[in-house]
Amino acid sequence: MSMLIVDLNAYYEEIEKTLGDLKDETPKVLRSALSNTARRVRKQVVKEAAKRYDYQDDGAWKASNAGALKLKAKTKGDAFYTRLVSTGPMNELMDFMVTPAAYTPDNRPDVHKSKVLSTGALKALGEKPKPFVTRFRSGHIAIVQRKGNKRLPVHSLLAPSVPSMVQNAGLRATAEELMTTELPTQIQKAIQRTLKKAGRT
């Protein structure tokens, strides 16, 4: 994924001036503001991805560190950064909208249809050899295609990975926008929390 670098030093002097004799808290204020802004970026991107794709795993779009886009913050002295990380392989097409999706070996349909995006119509999977739904020995059900005229081997039909969906949902654009509009707001909130904690408000 692409990296977005934000010059936090541009806010440093203003924060120190506002905090006065509490200026040693400036790194903590910046760290809190950056982390809260990154959480808002994650929430917005995940929301857009869930709306954009017909992905059947609803749990992936939970706005938490167990979902599609994880927030990782690290610090080293006064230097710190926040990363939004998404990992994972390509998904199987069966993880999206496929119809019919049932495993019926004795009554296979003439054609299966699918779609990855929420918008638009289902499209027929008409490539040859004809795709079909199968169940592996493990019990896993997938829509597959033979690699040749022989019965085996077969390969699962694949669709975009979670990182790809997150990126296509506008991760960078959303991050750039919120770093411009939301970060100053979060800085002010962090300043007020710091002053209130010290009994200065």
Side-chain angles (χ1 to χ4, degrees):
M1 280 188 188
S2 56
M3 180 182 294
L4 178 65
I5 298 175
V6 181
D7 182 12
L8 296 177
N9 290 327
Y11 301 98
Y12 219 95
E13 185 176 344
E14 178 186 348
I15 296 172
E16 285 188 328
K17 183 178 179 180
T18 305
L19 290 176
D21 61 352
L22 296 173
K23 65 180 182 180
D24 288 346
E25 296 293 311
T26 296
K28 188 181 295 184
V29 165
L30 280 170
R31 190 179 301 117
S32 174
L34 182 61
S35 181
N36 286 336
T37 302
R39 288 188 181 93
R40 288 179 176 266
V41 172
R42 178 178 62 192
K43 183 177 180 180
Q44 185 60 38
V45 170
V46 166
K47 180 180 178 181
E48 181 60 33
K51 183 171 64 175
R52 179 184 177 92
Y53 290 95
D54 208 341
Y55 191 46
Q56 304 297 302
D57 183 4
D58 294 335
W61 300 134
K62 291 182 179 178
S64 71
N65 267 6
L69 194 56
K70 302 172 181 64
L71 189 152
K72 295 184 178 181
K74 288 190 176 182
T75 62
K76 186 177 181 181
D78 289 348
F80 48 90
Y81 64 90
T82 299
R83 293 187 301 158
L84 288 167
V85 180
S86 183
T87 59
M90 292 184 70
N91 287 293
E92 292 189 14
L93 186 58
M94 191 65 90
D95 294 329
F96 295 80
M97 174 61 74
V98 173
T99 183
Y103 171 58
T104 54
D106 297 326
N107 186 28
R108 285 179 174 157
D110 292 333
V111 64
H112 289 278
K113 296 181 179 181
S114 72
K115 68 173 182 173
V116 171
L117 297 175
S118 296
T119 58
L122 289 159
K123 294 183 179 180
L125 300 174
E127 301 90 345
K128 293 183 179 180
K130 185 175 72 173
F132 60 96
V133 173
T134 191
R135 183 172 61 199
F136 293 100
R137 289 182 179 178
S138 64
H140 177 65
I141 295 177
I143 186 158
V144 302
Q145 189 175 31
R146 292 188 173 93
K147 292 187 176 183
N149 294 326
K150 295 183 179 179
R151 182 172 176 272
L152 296 174
V154 298
H155 65 94
S156 296
L157 298 186
L158 300 178
S161 65
V162 169
S164 177
M165 289 188 283
V166 165
Q167 190 74 15
N168 292 338
L171 173 58
R172 184 173 183 85
T174 300
E176 288 178 344
E177 179 182 355
L178 289 181
M179 285 300 170
T180 299
T181 61
E182 185 65 27
L183 182 58
T185 299
Q186 291 300 326
I187 286 175
Q188 291 304 313
K189 288 182 178 180
I191 288 173
Q192 291 305 312
R193 286 195 299 270
T194 301
L195 293 174
K196 184 177 181 179
K197 186 177 180 180
R200 304 298 174 83
T201 58

